[in-house]
Amino acid sequence: MALHEKSVEEIAELLDEYGIKHGPIVDSTRSLYEKKLERAMEDAPVKASSDKTYYREEEEEITYITYHSPVKRDGYTDALKRRGNAKVDESDESDQETESLIHVTKRTANHSPIQSKDQIRKSGGGMWLLLLLLSVLAAVGYYIYCRVTSNEENTFGIQ
Amino acid sequence: SSGNMSTTSQKHRDFVGEPMGDKAVTALSGIGETLGKKLATDGFDKAYVVLGQFLLLRKDTEMFTEWLKDTTGANSRQAVSCAQCLKEWCDAFL
């Protein structure tokens, strides 16, 4: 549909979509806004027209991931929980940690060939989260190790 | 407004110095006889009607400049001068 056939609401929506600030779309302003829109659409032809299909593809990808990963994820999570409980049973943070680790595994497990920019950014964040988590785990482990050794020393000292 | 100081005319200073009242469209800086006639034919016979258009375009000088060029065939210098004139008038009186 040509721009001049669109309703005022449609024109307003398109202007918003292309980030063009606008006032009322009336007889004296409409042709100017249509011109601005045409120019914006030429500059970024992909943006408006295929934007919606792009999102749909993304959604399909996400559902695909959630359908296929549970088995793998659950196993990993359980193992991690066991490990976490064995190591740090008194730590309140352990639940939170495993939860965020689930996120990480979900993200990093997604190695689909078509990765959107968004997903790349997210998995990048996931990597940082993973690194942060590993360092936290290492710190907790070291803390426990220190306590255990000092306890041993103490008991030996008393005896 | 600072960048345009060197190009402001006496006409500009006269216009932004007082309420526009019932002034003709040609009182706007950048609008001479020819552009004034063209504007009047389109219904913009008074400065305040042009101000109305400027306000409809949210006081966006760039948008207004483009509109004025498209509708009257004004050149960039004329259109920018008129937009600047209305902008400064608004800053002072709105």
Side-chain angles (χ1 to χ4, degrees):
Chain A
M1 205 204 295
L3 282 180
H4 67 270
E5 289 171 323
K6 288 187 187 295
S7 70
V8 168
E9 288 80 12
E10 285 172 316
I11 294 287
E13 239 169 67
L14 277 170
L15 286 166
D16 291 340
E17 219 169 291
Y18 279 93
I20 300 166
K21 270 191 110 181
H22 63 91
I25 297 146
V26 294
D27 280 353
S28 70
T29 59
R30 179 160 180 146
S31 58
L32 174 71
Y33 287 138
E34 281 179 10
K35 199 179 111 187
K36 284 273 176 191
L37 259 181
E38 252 164 46
R39 217 178 287 164
M41 284 165 152
E42 274 168 27
D43 288 349
V46 209
K47 210 181 170 187
S49 51
S50 63
D51 213 13
K52 276 161 194 166
T53 34
Y54 183 71
Y55 280 132
R56 255 177 239 135
E57 275 169 25
E58 231 181 345
E59 265 167 26
E60 274 166 26
E61 239 177 275
I62 286 161
T63 39
Y64 169 84
I65 293 155
T66 39
Y67 279 129
H68 282 256
S69 55
V71 188
K72 201 172 164 189
R73 197 213 310 163
D74 283 351
Y76 188 29
T77 315
D78 284 348
L80 210 114
K81 265 190 187 152
R82 261 180 266 125
R83 235 176 57 197
N85 288 346
K87 264 190 179 173
V88 276
D89 43 343
E90 77 228 17
S91 168
D92 290 332
E93 279 176 313
S94 64
D95 262 9
Q96 261 184 318
E97 278 167 23
T98 41
E99 249 175 51
S100 34
L101 219 106
I102 293 164
H103 270 292
V104 174
T105 46
K106 232 202 279 190
R107 298 255 159 79
T108 46
N110 168 31
H111 286 307
S112 54
I114 323 146
Q115 267 193 329
S116 74
K117 265 185 208 163
D118 203 30
Q119 278 171 325
I120 288 163
R121 185 161 46 79
K122 273 179 188 165
S123 66
M127 281 303 288
W128 281 112
L129 202 67
L130 189 66
L131 281 175
L132 187 74
L133 212 67
L134 283 174
S135 53
V136 167
L137 279 175
V140 170
Y142 180 67
Y143 173 67
I144 287 159
Y145 173 77
C146 283
R147 274 190 52 173
V148 167
T149 32
S150 66
N151 277 351
E152 273 170 11
E153 272 168 18
N154 279 347
T155 39
F156 282 129
I158 289 158
Q159 279 170 346
Chain B
S1 61
S2 53
N4 246 39
M5 284 311 266
S6 55
T7 57
T8 56
S9 57
Q10 184 58 46
K11 197 176 172 187
H12 175 98
R13 287 189 292 275
D14 286 346
F15 190 87
V16 301
E18 60 185 13
M20 68 178 75
D22 209 30
K23 284 180 183 176
V25 71
T26 47
L28 286 158
S29 75
I31 307 298
E33 280 304 313
T34 318
L35 293 181
K37 263 190 195 134
K38 177 77 182 83
L39 278 169
T41 321
D42 294 344
F44 297 90
D45 56 338
K46 299 285 184 184
Y48 62 76
V49 188
V50 182
L51 171 69
Q53 177 69 4
F54 182 67
L55 296 180
L56 275 177
L57 295 171
R58 308 180 59 91
K59 296 188 271 182
D60 186 323
T61 51
E62 227 171 274
M63 285 278 193
F64 178 82
T65 300
E66 199 159 333
W67 170 79
L68 195 59
K69 287 200 279 187
D70 287 351
T71 46
T72 66
N75 63 36
S76 288
R77 187 185 47 80
Q78 292 165 324
V80 167
S81 172
C82 184
Q84 196 57 36
C85 186
L86 287 168
K87 178 84 174 67
E88 276 178 42
W89 187 93
C90 286
D91 289 345
F93 296 104
L94 272 195

